């Protein structure tokens, strides 16, 4: 049941400026659409989503007669837009990309269609082939799927092998963060315009908040203790944040406070950064010779650690169907196609095997073509996903699940506000101490809701 507090937390103002691709036009689901054959899909502007927007009309639409109107937005804007639409039951979209954070919360609120029944009826979809950690992250309290994975990911370190070789540096397969900081200092400026490392500095719980929280975890920190004591200004949280801010300020990319996944992907692929710590899903883009200057020259290592054995996050961008859609049949057909084995093969054959939206199916890693294309990163990606532990991502017990987030509705607002202050510290407009002091007060307000 929706509460006034939940709506206040989730239904934030939508950002303007959406990009429409595929079939032209916009609008809600209730208008005339040729007999229910047009669906509206809202999705994040990552390379894999841009690929499906290019392929849909000539394949899915041609085969089914169902037209798809895509709205693609940057990550932060996507989160605002989809939250507003689903939480207020506006019903503008039939399908939307959400992730492991939203699924269990929105399922409890009754905002999403369950999708296990659709997947079970489609034998070609092969639900049993989906990786267990991904299935678990996208399931509701009843054990049913409430989103179908488009791709899954953890996080890892990516680096320019040529630069490392020229500098006589061997990057460990399992590096520590202090080791990475030392390497970043040595390779900073190794080539004209190249910085030592690229790290997200763009405010947002899913942007800077994601990468930073994995660093906090492995440094021994946490947002909340098991009994809901706020720990944002704790020594471990502060040590991790100071490390992160100092590293990106000293050896990171220019304009770091405005850099998210997309900006760092561009910096790494254009040889403007010697290293990059981010999503494993980025590897496919880095290995695409059509768009990446570093293709074939990228090295990969597991997410850096300090006090934990692993530190990679667990995430899946997945297709969800809001309860408000009037086109469940058409929407489900699109989602099953977009998350299916045949779509992966289509991407491999049409666009290149490194661009397959992987990280969700065991069978993907058995495909000879994909294994060859992903030889340098496929194994690390799969093992990182399997090693991620949302229930115990740090050194102390947690009150709820989540590696790079806290699985409560309030975290969307809390994480964004705290990272706004930390991003300002990266920009030199405030200090880490002040940012975390202010963040502690916000976290304490949230904690009061859960303390007994």
């Amino acid at each position: 049941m929706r509460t006034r507090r939940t709506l206040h937390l989730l239904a934030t103002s939508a950002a303007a400026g959406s990009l429409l691709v595929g079939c032209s036009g916009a609008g809600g689901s209730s208008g005339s659409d040729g007999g229910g054959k047009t669906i509206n899909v809202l999705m994040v502007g990552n390379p894999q989503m841009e690929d499906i927007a290019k392929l849909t009309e000539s394949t899915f639409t041609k085969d089914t007669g169902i037209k798809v109107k895509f709205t693609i937005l940057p990550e932060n804007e996507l989160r605002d837009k989809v939250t507003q639409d689903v939480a207020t039951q506006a019903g503008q979209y039939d399908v939307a990309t959400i992730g492991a954070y939203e699924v269990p919360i929105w399922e409890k609120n009754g905002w999403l269609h369950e999708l296990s029944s659709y997947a079970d009826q489609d034998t070609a979809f092969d639900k049993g082939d989906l990786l267990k950690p991904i299935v678990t992250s996208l399931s509701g309290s009843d054990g049913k799927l409430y989103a179908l994975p488009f791709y899954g990911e953890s996080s890892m370190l990516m680096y320019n092998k040529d630069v490392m070789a020229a500098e006589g540096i061997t990057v460990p397969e399992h590096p520590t963060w202090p080791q990475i900081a030392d390497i970043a200092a040595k390779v900073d400026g190794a080539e004209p315009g190249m910085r030592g490392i690229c790290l997200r500095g763009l405010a947002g719980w899913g942007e800077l908040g994601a990468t930073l929280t994995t660093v906090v975890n492995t440094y021994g920190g946490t947002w909340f203790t098991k009994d809901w004591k706020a720990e944002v200004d704790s020594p471990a949280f502060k040590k991790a944040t100071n490390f992160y801010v100092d590293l990106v300020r000293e050896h990171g990319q220019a304009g770091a406070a405005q850099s998210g996944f997309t900006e760092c992907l561009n910096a790494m692929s254009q040889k403007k950064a010697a290293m990059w710590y981010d999503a494993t899903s980025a590897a496919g883009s880095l290995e695409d010779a059509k768009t990446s200057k570093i293709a074939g020259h990228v090295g990969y290592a597991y997410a850096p650690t300090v006090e934990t054995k692993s530190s990679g996050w667990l995430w899946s961008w997945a297709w969800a169907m809001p309860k408000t859609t009037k086109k469940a049949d058409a929407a489900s057909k699109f989602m099953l196609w977009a998350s299916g084995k045949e779509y992966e093969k289509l991407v491999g054959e049409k666009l290149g095997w490194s661009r397959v939206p992987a990280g969700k199916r065991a069978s993907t890693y058995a495909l000879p073509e994909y294994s060859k294309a992903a030889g340098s990163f496929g194994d690390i990606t799969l093992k990182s996903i399997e090693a991620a532990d949302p229930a115990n991502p740090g050194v102390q017990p947690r009150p709820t699940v989540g590696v790079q987030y806290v699985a409560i509705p309030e975290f969307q607002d809390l994480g964004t506000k705290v990272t706004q202050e930390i991003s300002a510290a990266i920009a030199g407009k405030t200090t880490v101490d002040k940012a975390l002091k202010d963040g502690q007060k916000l976290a304490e307000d949230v904690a009061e809701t859960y303390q007994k």
Side-chain angles (χ1 to χ4, degrees):
M1 180 178 180
R2 289 183 297 157
T3 65
R4 185 174 181 180
R5 176 174 175 78
T6 302
L7 284 174
H8 174 71
L9 290 164
L10 292 178
T12 54
S13 297
S18 64
L19 171 64
L20 295 176
V21 299
C23 301
S24 61
S29 301
S30 59
S32 175
D33 59 10
K37 290 293 186 178
T38 299
I39 59 172
N40 292 309
V41 176
L42 176 64
M43 60 187 184
V44 66
N46 289 345
Q48 293 87 344
M49 279 68 172
E50 293 171 357
D51 285 345
I52 198 170
K54 297 173 184 176
L55 295 172
T56 297
E57 186 173 2
S58 62
T59 53
F60 176 75
T61 299
K62 181 180 178 181
D63 292 339
T64 65
I66 300 170
K67 296 181 179 180
V68 183
K69 294 180 179 179
F70 290 106
T71 301
I72 303 179
L73 293 173
E75 186 167 325
N76 282 344
E77 294 180 31
L78 176 282
R79 295 187 192 281
D80 285 347
K81 184 76 170 179
V82 70
T83 300
Q84 182 189 53
D85 186 75
V86 175
T88 62
Q89 297 190 3
Q92 186 176 3
Y93 300 99
D94 303 295
V95 178
T97 52
I98 62 175
Y101 166 73
E102 292 92 352
V103 170
I105 297 173
W106 292 9
E107 177 267 324
K108 289 181 180 179
N109 290 336
W111 295 345
L112 303 175
H113 269 285
E114 68 85 12
L115 301 176
S116 284
S117 59
Y118 293 101
D120 289 337
Q121 291 170 13
D122 186 348
T123 55
F125 181 74
D126 191 4
K127 190 176 74 173
D129 182 45
L130 298 175
L131 298 176
K132 186 176 179 180
I134 301 299
V135 171
T136 300
S137 70
L138 300 177
S139 296
S141 55
D142 56 4
K144 297 179 180 179
L145 280 167
Y146 281 82
L148 299 181
F150 184 44
Y151 64 84
E153 65 181 32
S154 184
S155 52
M156 65 181 175
L157 183 81
M158 296 155 275
Y159 59 91
N160 187 315
K161 292 194 297 185
D162 294 342
V163 168
M164 299 304 166
E167 298 295 324
I169 297 171
T170 299
V171 179
E173 186 177 36
H174 292 273
T176 65
W177 273 114
Q179 287 176 325
I180 295 306
D182 288 342
I183 294 173
K186 293 175 181 177
V187 298
D188 197 353
E191 294 183 2
M194 176 179 286
R195 299 309 305 266
I197 194 167
C198 199
L199 294 170
R200 298 188 193 186
L202 181 65
W205 72 268
E207 282 280 7
L208 168 58
T211 50
L212 176 62
T213 299
T214 66
V215 179
V216 168
N217 290 338
T218 197
Y219 263 90
T222 182
W223 285 82
F224 300 99
T225 63
K226 187 177 181 180
D227 58 355
W228 288 106
K229 177 185 175 184
E231 290 277 287
V232 174
D233 66 348
S234 68
F237 204 115
K238 188 175 296 185
K239 185 177 181 179
T241 307
N242 272 311
F243 169 83
Y244 191 100
V245 171
D246 288 346
L247 178 57
V248 74
R249 281 178 60 84
E250 293 171 8
H251 304 297
Q253 70 281 14
Q258 299 301 318
S259 296
F261 172 87
T262 301
E263 290 75 19
C264 281
L265 172 60
N266 183 64
M268 188 71 188
S269 65
Q270 301 305 307
K271 297 186 177 182
K272 298 299 181 183
M275 293 186 291
W276 178 28
Y277 169 63
D278 214 296
T280 56
S281 59
S285 297
L286 292 180
E287 298 293 353
D288 182 3
K290 297 177 182 177
T291 57
S292 175
K293 294 181 179 180
I294 200 175
H297 301 272
V298 187
Y300 301 91
Y302 289 90
T305 57
V306 177
E307 295 186 24
T308 57
K309 292 182 179 180
S310 63
S311 67
W313 67 54
L314 180 66
W315 185 256
S316 172
W317 279 113
W319 308 107
M321 188 197 307
K323 275 282 188 70
T324 49
T325 182
K326 294 179 175 64
K327 304 171 186 175
D329 182 61
S332 66
K333 288 179 180 178
F334 169 77
M335 291 189 293
L336 290 167
W337 171 75
S339 290
K341 296 178 182 179
E342 290 305 312
Y343 176 74
E344 290 193 349
K345 292 180 180 179
L346 175 68
V347 172
E349 293 168 357
K350 295 289 186 181
L351 303 177
W353 286 97
S354 70
R355 288 166 65 168
V356 168
K360 65 178 181 292
R361 290 185 172 276
S363 62
T364 306
Y365 296 86
L367 291 171
E369 300 93 339
Y370 182 75
S371 295
K372 181 179 179 180
S376 56
F377 62 85
D379 190 54
I380 288 179
T381 295
L382 186 58
K383 288 181 178 178
S384 295
I385 290 173
E386 294 173 340
D389 186 359
N392 296 288
V395 302
Q396 69 283 92
R398 305 298 172 97
T400 185
V401 298
V403 178
Q404 73 277 26
Y405 57 85
V406 183
I408 55 175
E410 294 87 348
F411 188 72
Q412 179 164 325
D413 183 60
L414 173 65
T416 296
K417 287 181 177 177
V418 174
T419 55
Q420 285 171 346
E421 292 298 311
I422 297 172
S423 181
I426 291 174
K429 297 179 180 179
T430 189
T431 65
V432 168
D433 283 352
K434 185 179 185 306
L436 299 187
K437 182 179 179 180
D438 293 345
Q440 175 70 11
K441 294 177 181 177
L442 295 172
E444 287 174 350
D445 289 341
V446 170
E448 288 181 4
T449 304
Y450 296 92
Q451 291 170 348
K452 297 181 180 179

